[in-house]
């Protein structure tokens, strides 16, 4: 075990043995607090390519089930809707509450996560990027990971491919990857995060196009592969007690869009989901959890009652909507894909941001 991970494991062990973990649980319950967990993908195995996903987005189904078992040992798992109806009156719950959420609408949420949650009798909330549901489209970072892990792209980067049009940090990352041997998804994380930070959607689209051309490929890169749920699966999940929320339409970061386009994503995605499932959509998760006070107000105007975001943008309740912060969950929260260490999970959960229902 690496030194940093070992230190976290020892700290997690000390939190439990010293009674700090038990006291934190009791304090959460007394404050009527809730912690909200964020998952993305649930996969069969952990390998270098990670089904073309970033490591921080992936948990294997076996690790997910063990994480869920420990969560249910210490928390009452509820829906986001329960936070809206529970209020603060009456007796406090004996255990703190926890909400399990999934972002994007990946197909494996239905294939792998749903059966596990059903076995444990647990609800969850799935936030859909509606333009991808029922299609064979892929996210741009999925395409980038595919190009670098399944082609000779890294060996093709050079003088014949011009990257002067891209921001300096992106060019620097591409130079780092040039002439490298086989790459894994983890090695591409810095490139993806750099692109995300410095490029708008048009530049990203051009980058993927240019890299695809460099290895003689054209989009779509995944013929016949469906990464995302279809609407029948969404309806089945809703029927099984899952809440369906919105994650926008295009998965673009709304803080980078013109106001009218961002507002259109809030309204259109909600209307599409409601039309497809025949129910009301009350919850929104901002893509990349990037929001502003104006966008949170727009979400309230669009009819949402909660909004998941990275940082508070205003005093709770002042915008007519409940802002919520979440804790990201993935495979490496509690191990290295070859082992599972519950001490690491205790350490991670202890750090969770909390929400207090109004």
């Amino acid at each position: 075990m690496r030194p940093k991970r070992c230190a976290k494991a020892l700290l997690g062990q000390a939190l439990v043995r010293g009674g700090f973990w038990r006291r934190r649980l009791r304090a959460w319950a007394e404050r009527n607090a809730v912690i909200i967990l964020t998952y993305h993908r649930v996969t069969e195995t952990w390998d270098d390519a990670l089904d073309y996903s970033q490591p921080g987005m992936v948990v294997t189904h076996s690790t997910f089930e063990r994480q869920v078992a420990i969560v249910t040992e210490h928390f009452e798992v509820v829906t986001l809707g329960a936070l809206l109806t529970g209020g603060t009156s009456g007796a406090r719950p004996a255990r703190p509450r926890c909400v399990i959420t999934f972002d994007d609408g990946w197909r494996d949420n239905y294939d792998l996560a749903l059966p596990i949650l059903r076995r444990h009798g647990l609800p969850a909330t799935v936030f859909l990027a509606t333009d991808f549901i029922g299609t064979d489209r892929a996210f741009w970072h999925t395409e980038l990971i595919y190009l670098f892990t399944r082609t000779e792209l890294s060996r093709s980067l050079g003088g014949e491919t011009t990257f002067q049009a891209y921001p300096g940090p992106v060019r620097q990352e591409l130079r780092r990857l040039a002439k490298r041997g086989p790459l894994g998804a983890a090695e591409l994380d810095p490139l993806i995060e750099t692109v995300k930070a410095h490029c708008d959607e048009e530049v990203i689209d051009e980058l993927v196009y240019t890299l695809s051309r460099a290895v003689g490929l054209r989009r779509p890169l995944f013929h016949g592969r469906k990464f995302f749920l279809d609407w029948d699966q969404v309806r089945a999940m809703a029927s099984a007690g899952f809440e369906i929320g919105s994650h926008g339409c295009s998965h673009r970061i709304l803080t980078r869009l013109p106001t009218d386009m961002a507002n259109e994503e809030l309204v259109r995605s909600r209307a599409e989901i409601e039309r497809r499932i025949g129910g009301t959509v009350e919850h929104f998760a901002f893509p990349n959890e990037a929001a502003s006070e104006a966008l949170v107000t727009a979400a309230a105007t669009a009819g949402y009652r909660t909004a998941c975001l990275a940082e508070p943008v205003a005093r709770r309740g002042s915008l007519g909507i409940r802002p919520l912060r979440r804790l990201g969950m993935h495979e490496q929260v509690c191990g290295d894909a070859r082992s599972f260490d519950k001490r690491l999970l205790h350490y991670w959960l202890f750090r969770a941001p909390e929400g207090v229902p109004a």
Side-chain angles (χ1 to χ4, degrees), residues 250-262:
S250 65
H251 202 259
R252 289 179 292 181
I253 297 174
L254 299 191
T255 52
R256 298 181 180 177
L257 296 182
T259 300
D260 58 338
M261 293 180 66

Side-chain angles (χ1 to χ4, degrees), residues 33 52 86 97 115-116 152 191 209 234 240 251 255 271 295 315 327 337:
Y52 317 123
R97 294 185 290 178
I116 291 171
E152 295 295 316
L191 171 64
Y209 173 80
V234 172
H251 202 259
T255 52
L295 282 170
R315 182 173 53 85
L327 179 70

Side-chain angles (χ1 to χ4, degrees), residues 271-348:
E272 175 75 357
I273 298 169
E274 291 184 338
R275 182 177 71 85
R276 295 283 191 167
I277 68 172
T280 302
V281 173
E282 297 184 313
H283 312 294
F284 188 81
F286 282 93
N288 211 43
E289 298 198 322
S292 66
E293 184 170 334
L295 282 170
V296 174
T297 300
T301 302
Y304 299 103
R305 298 181 67 191
T306 72
C308 297
L309 38 81
E311 298 292 341
V313 295
R315 182 173 53 85
R316 181 170 58 90
S318 66
L319 303 179
I321 192 172
R322 188 161 303 153
L324 300 171
R325 295 177 62 201
R326 300 184 290 174
L327 179 70
M329 299 292 288
H330 51 83
E331 183 79 11
Q332 294 174 314
V333 159
C334 51
D336 58 5
R338 295 183 299 273
S339 62
F340 182 95
D341 193 329
K342 66 187 301 183
R343 299 174 302 172
L344 289 168
L345 184 57
H346 283 128
Y347 166 81
W348 190 253

Side-chain angles (χ1 to χ4, degrees), residues 44-247:
E44 291 276 5
T45 59
W46 183 274
D47 57 24
D48 286 342
L50 296 179
D51 201 25
Y52 317 123
S53 292
Q54 294 178 265
M57 293 176 58
V58 178
V59 63
T60 59
H61 69 99
S62 57
T63 294
F64 177 66
E65 182 144 32
R66 297 180 76 172
Q67 289 179 353
V68 163
I70 291 174
V71 165
T72 56
E73 179 183 345
H74 299 291
F75 296 88
E76 177 189 358
V77 179
V78 300
T79 62
L80 284 177
L83 307 184
L84 297 173
T85 60
T88 58
S89 60
R92 298 296 190 195
R95 299 190 299 164
R97 294 185 290 178
C98 173
V99 178
I100 297 173
T101 69
F102 294 87
D103 280 3
D104 305 331
W106 296 93
R107 198 176 189 90
D108 50 59
N109 295 176
Y110 177 86
D111 293 335
L112 297 174
L114 176 60
I116 291 171
L117 292 169
R118 273 180 160 170
R119 282 198 295 274
H120 290 269
L122 301 177
T125 301
V126 181
F127 292 104
L128 305 180
T130 55
D131 284 353
F132 293 84
I133 304 303
T135 75
D136 59 0
R137 295 178 60 185
F139 285 162
W140 63 266
H141 40 82
T142 302
E143 295 175 311
L144 278 186
I145 294 174
Y146 172 82
L147 288 168
F148 277 99
T149 61
R150 291 294 183 261
T151 76
E152 295 295 316
L153 176 60
S154 63
R155 300 182 186 278
S156 303
L157 299 177
E160 73 279 4
T161 306
T162 302
F163 299 111
Q164 291 304 312
Y166 304 112
V170 175
R171 295 200 304 272
Q172 182 176 345
E173 281 299 315
L174 291 170
R175 292 191 199 101
R176 179 181 67 85
L177 297 172
K179 309 302 181 183
R180 294 280 300 274
L183 295 168
E187 296 169 281
L188 298 168
D189 239 11
L191 171 64
I192 291 170
E193 292 303 316
T194 301
V195 170
K196 193 183 297 183
H198 294 279
C199 300
D200 61 25
E201 293 298 322
E202 290 72 22
V203 173
I204 292 172
D205 190 67
E206 176 62 27
L207 176 63
V208 174
Y209 173 80
T210 300
L211 294 176
S212 299
R213 287 282 303 272
V215 290
L217 295 177
R218 292 179 177 272
R219 301 163 89 180
L221 300 179
F222 305 97
H223 295 283
R225 172 72 191 275
K226 294 186 182 297
F227 285 96
F228 295 96
L229 297 163
D230 60 41
W231 287 109
D232 285 338
Q233 292 169 327
V234 172
R235 284 186 286 270
M237 296 177 86
S239 297
F242 278 45
E243 286 182 321
I244 309 300
S246 170
H247 202 37

